[in-house]
Amino acid sequence: MPIDTSRAFIPVTIAVLTVSDTRTTADDRSGDTLAERLTDAGHQLGDRVIVADNTDLIVAQLDRWIDDAAIDVVITTGGTGVTGRDVTPEAIERVATKMIPGFGEYFRYISIASIGTSTVQSRACACVARGTYIFALPGSTGAVKDGWDQILADQLDSRHRPCNFVELMPRLQER
């Protein structure tokens, strides 16, 4: 979809959460990829944290960022599979105000080109949580690239037409 260059770019502040029992800051390639892509796009990296695959720990970190007025968006990487330790979607459901089902559906659609039918194992998802967007991507760098390059780069660009998530931010908590 087109970028309307007559409109101003509005940078948003994005927190990156890596969900993993094994990754550290030294080997978190998916988190590195997200941080690089979002800053290259002109957005601000508000914070970056790694937490274990534990629903309560994920919810606690999400709540901290949701309550932080400086954070507009949270993007998670990891914990979206189907194994017992993959609990990111369950954590997101606990904080969600409104789910955004089209995000996961479209993510799986575009992933077919990269991983074929294995895309059905992804539980990528998104929501609005008390006025903050949360997008959950799988933990591979390929999945992070697909999610950012083919969905989030456009939807988090205020110039994207016909519409984008940024222009809705002021209205996310209206009643």
Side-chain angles (χ1 to χ4, degrees):
M1 283 282 141
I3 296 294
D4 181 351
T5 56
S6 70
R7 296 178 62 101
F9 175 78
I10 301 169
V12 296
T13 303
I14 303 171
V16 173
L17 177 63
T18 298
V19 178
S20 174
D21 289 331
T22 60
R23 292 192 188 159
T24 66
T25 54
D27 63 2
D28 180 19
R29 292 189 329 241
S30 296
D32 291 341
T33 299
L34 268 175
E36 178 182 320
R37 277 176 156 66
L38 72 89
T39 55
D40 285 351
H43 298 295
Q44 291 129 13
L45 178 62
D47 199 5
R48 184 170 166 195
V49 173
I50 299 173
V51 299
D53 292 282
N54 175 291
T55 308
D56 292 335
L57 294 176
I58 298 166
V59 167
Q61 185 57 58
L62 292 174
D63 277 335
R64 280 190 284 280
W65 284 332
I66 293 164
D67 292 339
D68 184 344
I71 302 295
D72 301 307
V73 176
V74 176
I75 305 174
T76 72
T77 175
T80 62
V82 298
T83 71
R85 297 289 299 157
D86 293 321
V87 295
T88 302
E90 288 77 14
I92 287 174
E93 288 173 1
R94 282 182 38 191
V95 300
T97 308
K98 287 188 178 187
M99 296 303 293
I100 307 172
F103 176 81
E105 294 162 359
Y106 191 63
F107 176 82
R108 285 179 284 282
Y109 171 78
I110 62 172
S111 294
I112 290 171
S114 303
I115 62 171
T117 61
S118 295
T119 193
V120 300
Q121 296 180 28
S122 168
R123 296 186 306 138
C125 61
C127 75
V128 176
R130 302 187 313 268
T132 301
Y133 286 114
I134 302 173
F135 302 98
L137 296 170
S140 73
T141 55
V144 165
K145 290 175 185 176
D146 285 348
W148 179 265
D149 296 349
Q150 296 187 54
I151 305 173
L152 294 173
D154 283 341
Q155 282 298 301
L156 295 177
D157 189 326
S158 57
R159 303 166 300 168
H160 183 265
R161 299 278 117 317
C163 56
N164 60 75
F165 285 129
V166 176
E167 65 192 359
L168 299 175
M169 286 179 173
R171 299 176 45 214
L172 292 178
Q173 296 192 72
E174 68 186 10
R175 297 268 177 230

